[in-house]
Amino acid sequence: MSRALFTATALAAASLCAASPAAAKTAFDGVWLFDKAPPMPGVTMMEVRSKGAKIEGHVTTLWYGPIEMMNPRIQDGRLLFEARNINDRDHPTRPWSVSLDKGQAHLKGRIWASEVDTQGYRGTTKDAKARTFRFTALPPLGQPIPGKLATTPPMGWSSWNKFAEHIDDRTVRAMADAMVSTGLRDAGYLYINIDDGWQGKRDANDMLQPNEKFPDMKALTAYVHSKGLKIGIYSSQGPRTCAGYEGSYGHVAQDAKSFADWGFDYLKYDLCSGEWFYADADRVKRSYHEMGAALQATGRDILFSLCEYGRFDVGSWGRDVGGQLWRTTGDITDDYETMTKIGFDKNGNPAHAGPHGWNDPDMLEIGNGGMSAAEYRTHMTLWAMSAAPLMMGHDLRETSAETLALLTNRRVIAVDQDARGVQGKAVRKQGALEVWAKPLADGRVALALFNRGAESASLELTAADAGFSSVTQVEDLWSGATAAILPTSYTVPAHGAVMIAVKGQ
Ligand code: GLA
């Protein structure tokens, strides 16, 4: 737009709003307050300032703090600008607009998955002060934090896959009870983890309080502990968690202390809105180290689970920031396609896994009903072969005999929990079939045969698959049957898996 035209339209826009302050250069100048914007990103305010032809401004949000207006300009009586976008490579910025109507500002734009289309009203500088986002400086990266927890991959249960935000004190207690009564605890599942959705607001001292569904966190952790179990909690380094609850931004040490004081043993720390503030490897790493160090400073043993979806080669630095497990992927869902995409291809670099630090391909979906028995067996086999954390994600009260058998097979769990801590990997691929190997502490090698195809298929396993020249004993890990030699071939059902351990030389 030419300068002359710009000025003319700016003046036209200014004349639209007689109520604008005398100092305003455009009709949009000043503070606008939004009370009814969609929760994500939670627009609370817009501030616009203009000096001659130069317009500046930002939209303040609960998720991302102030979003700067890029290239703000007046066109046809509207204020147009671009805003940085997130998680969308095709649209690193998005066009936004503001129009004025009867003294209200109509703000429209899109960020990530959220459409903003909302009306705001004029506010004062006092309002602006109250709604100004408080930035917090990220400390420099501290020394690597020595790992001592999680000698083997953590095992337990998490609320997210089944309950999402619909989780409360009563359900968590019920899961602890069911963990014991089903025998899952005695099979090794130890953690009862509350995922997103427990958070309330901060009190006058900025202490984060649980919401009304969790009336007494100390009593809850004591209850879970009384069952011989441990208990976990969830937060984010961003101002908002992925489900939009209060995050730990600006309150990292304070929240770590609360989690420790309440008696938690595990923290899942999910990047969520923090990805806006910590958008590169250095800052993501520092943001995890900040919490890792804060947890360490509490003096309580709190397992630290990093959830940043596998970005920035997290496995290469997850341990240094105090993590015992780090997600290698986006979220799992209860279907074969997603589960196998993650389990086969996004389960992390085996070189990074070992005692005190594990690749986390996300929680289990076994028991949630979206996969067949053969597919769930593949799920469990893949996770065990990958030395993955085994965090169940179904309603433990509704554990069928079939599900229980999959989750509590001692031989399969022993492969996952093997003291050598090696993450298994594919050693041979043949069409839809994959052979995986995982060396075990007792000198045996676990082998898994996966059929990713839609038809049942047969394949021969050889001593060479296990790195041996000959095999002296074979144990079928799912059935417990043993034999002295490998069978001529294995038939694997569609989407199914066979899992054995071989002794050899
Ligand atoms: C992200 C995580 C999930 C879960 C949700 C909670 O999507 O990856 O595992 O914690 O947030 O909102």
Side-chain angles (χ1 to χ4, degrees), residues 10 14 22 24 51 56 73 104 137 176 260 314 395 461 464:
K51 231 189 227 166
E56 283 176 355
R73 59 211 183 268
Q104 296 254 308
V314 59
D395 184 339
L461 284 179

Side-chain angles (χ1 to χ4, degrees), residues 213-246:
K213 295 189 294 172
F214 290 89
D216 187 342
M217 281 301 198
K218 275 191 182 173
L220 178 58
T221 62
Y223 183 81
V224 173
H225 289 149
S226 77
K227 302 278 162 183
L229 296 164
K230 292 186 182 292
I231 179 162
I233 196 159
Y234 168 99
S235 194
S236 170
Q237 56 268 68
R240 283 288 178 277
T241 65
C242 297
Y245 292 82
E246 184 80 21

Side-chain angles (χ1 to χ4, degrees), residues 117-388:
D117 184 343
T118 189
Q119 305 273 353
Y121 57 96
R122 281 205 175 272
T124 63
T125 39
K126 198 171 159 214
D127 296 321
K129 214 170 157 201
R131 296 190 185 202
T132 292
F133 185 81
R134 277 183 282 164
F135 278 103
T136 307
L138 190 59
L141 189 65
Q143 290 301 309
I145 300 170
K148 57 176 179 154
L149 304 172
T151 10
T152 61
M155 291 174 67
W157 173 88
S158 159
S159 55
W160 187 254
N161 284 357
K162 175 70 187 178
F163 297 99
E165 297 164 59
H166 310 290
I167 186 68
D168 52 32
D169 177 287
R170 196 178 57 81
T171 310
V172 173
R173 287 174 194 243
M175 292 305 123
D177 294 345
M179 191 79 115
V180 178
S181 64
T182 51
L184 284 160
R185 179 195 63 186
D186 295 341
Y189 296 90
L190 200 59
Y191 289 91
I192 296 280
N193 291 345
I194 307 168
D195 205 279
D196 210 351
W198 63 268
Q199 310 88 329
K201 299 275 168 241
R202 293 189 183 275
D203 69 11
N205 299 317
D206 276 345
M207 297 268 286
L208 183 54
Q209 301 298 317
N211 59 39
E212 65 290 346
K213 295 189 294 172
F214 290 89
D216 187 342
M217 281 301 198
K218 275 191 182 173
L220 178 58
T221 62
Y223 183 81
V224 173
H225 289 149
S226 77
K227 302 278 162 183
L229 296 164
K230 292 186 182 292
I231 179 162
I233 196 159
Y234 168 99
S235 194
S236 170
Q237 56 268 68
R240 283 288 178 277
T241 65
C242 297
Y245 292 82
E246 184 80 21
S248 290
Y249 184 90
H251 302 281
V252 173
Q254 192 179 21
D255 288 358
K257 193 168 175 312
S258 295
F259 303 150
D261 289 348
W262 288 339
F264 282 98
D265 310 296
Y266 185 115
L267 173 69
K268 173 170 165 185
Y269 204 44
D270 197 344
L271 187 57
C272 300
S273 63
E275 67 188 345
W276 179 268
F277 301 86
Y278 311 134
D280 54 47
D282 173 61
R283 282 179 289 171
V284 168
K285 198 168 165 179
R286 281 159 59 195
S287 73
Y288 276 103
H289 191 286
E290 185 183 23
M291 180 52 95
L295 292 175
Q296 193 193 31
T298 67
R300 186 174 174 86
D301 283 346
I302 300 179
L303 220 108
F304 190 31
S305 158
L306 318 186
C307 182
E308 46 85 278
Y309 336 113
R311 293 177 186 174
F312 309 120
D313 197 21
V314 59
S316 66
W317 50 264
R319 287 165 194 267
D320 294 347
V321 299
Q324 285 81 38
L325 61 160
W326 42 83
R327 275 272 293 277
T328 57
T329 163
D331 291 11
I332 197 167
T333 46
D334 188 18
D335 56 277
Y336 179 75
E337 200 191 323
T338 309
M339 182 276 287
T340 47
K341 194 168 164 202
I342 293 175
F344 286 110
D345 305 320
K346 299 184 101 186
N347 66 340
N349 181 349
H352 297 142
H356 314 298
W358 307 99
N359 287 312
D360 174 12
D362 206 359
M363 302 167 287
L364 299 172
E365 290 283 7
I366 296 168
N368 279 332
M371 290 182 241
S372 69
E375 291 170 343
Y376 278 142
R377 178 185 280 210
T378 295
H379 189 1
M380 189 70 185
T381 306
L382 258 177
W383 263 239
M385 290 297 288
S386 302

